Amino acid sequence: MATEREVLEFIIVPPFEQRAAVAAAKERFENYLGNRFPGYRFRVGPFAPVGDDEQFCVLPLMNFVGDDGKSYMCEPPKRWLIQEIAVACKTFDMSGLRSYAA
C-alpha cells in the first residue's frame, strides 16, 4: 500500500483581533477558500496560541489512517501553497461584500 498522500485539508486560525468577524462569516469564508483552492478542504478553527496574533495561521492536517488501520503522515505541503492560502485569507472581505465573497 502506498503511504504517501498529499495534504488535502487545512485548519485556518484567525488573528486574535479578527476572531469575531471570522466566526460570523465562517461558512462563507470556508466556501471562499474551497472555491479558490479546488480539491482542498478548509475548516476555521477558534483562536489558538499559534502563529502570531496579526496573521492568519494555516495549519495542514498532516496525518491519515490507511486501509490497514495504521496512522500515516502526509507529504508536507509546498511553502508557496501555504503562503497563497494565507494571502487569500487576508483578502477575504469579512463584511460580506460580494466582490470578494466566493
Side-chain angles (χ1 to χ4, degrees):
M1 173 184 132
T3 57
E4 294 180 11
R5 184 181 287 181
E6 177 184 1
V7 170
L8 298 176
E9 191 166 357
F10 297 88
I11 295 175
I12 307 298
V13 179
F16 182 76
E17 295 294 323
Q18 294 185 31
R19 68 192 186 285
V22 170
K26 180 181 176 187
E27 188 175 322
R28 269 189 333 106
F29 188 46
E30 290 171 342
N31 289 334
Y32 162 79
L33 291 171
N35 288 336
R36 288 281 305 263
F37 302 95
Y40 296 101
R41 291 182 305 278
F42 298 90
R43 290 191 279 165
V44 173
F47 175 76
V50 295
D52 88 33
D53 290 346
E54 298 174 9
Q55 301 292 326
F56 281 90
C57 187
V58 180
L59 303 170
L61 292 180
M62 294 288 295
N63 63 336
F64 66 97
V65 178
D67 294 336
D68 58 2
K70 295 180 181 177
S71 182
Y72 295 96
M73 294 294 289
C74 295
E75 290 294 315
K78 303 289 186 201
R79 181 171 277 175
W80 61 263
L81 177 61
I82 299 286
Q83 290 173 335
E84 283 188 17
I85 294 169
V87 168
C89 290
K90 226 166 140 176
T91 62
F92 180 74
D93 181 13
M94 297 295 168
S95 66
L97 296 177
R98 297 305 248 176
S99 62
Y100 287 104

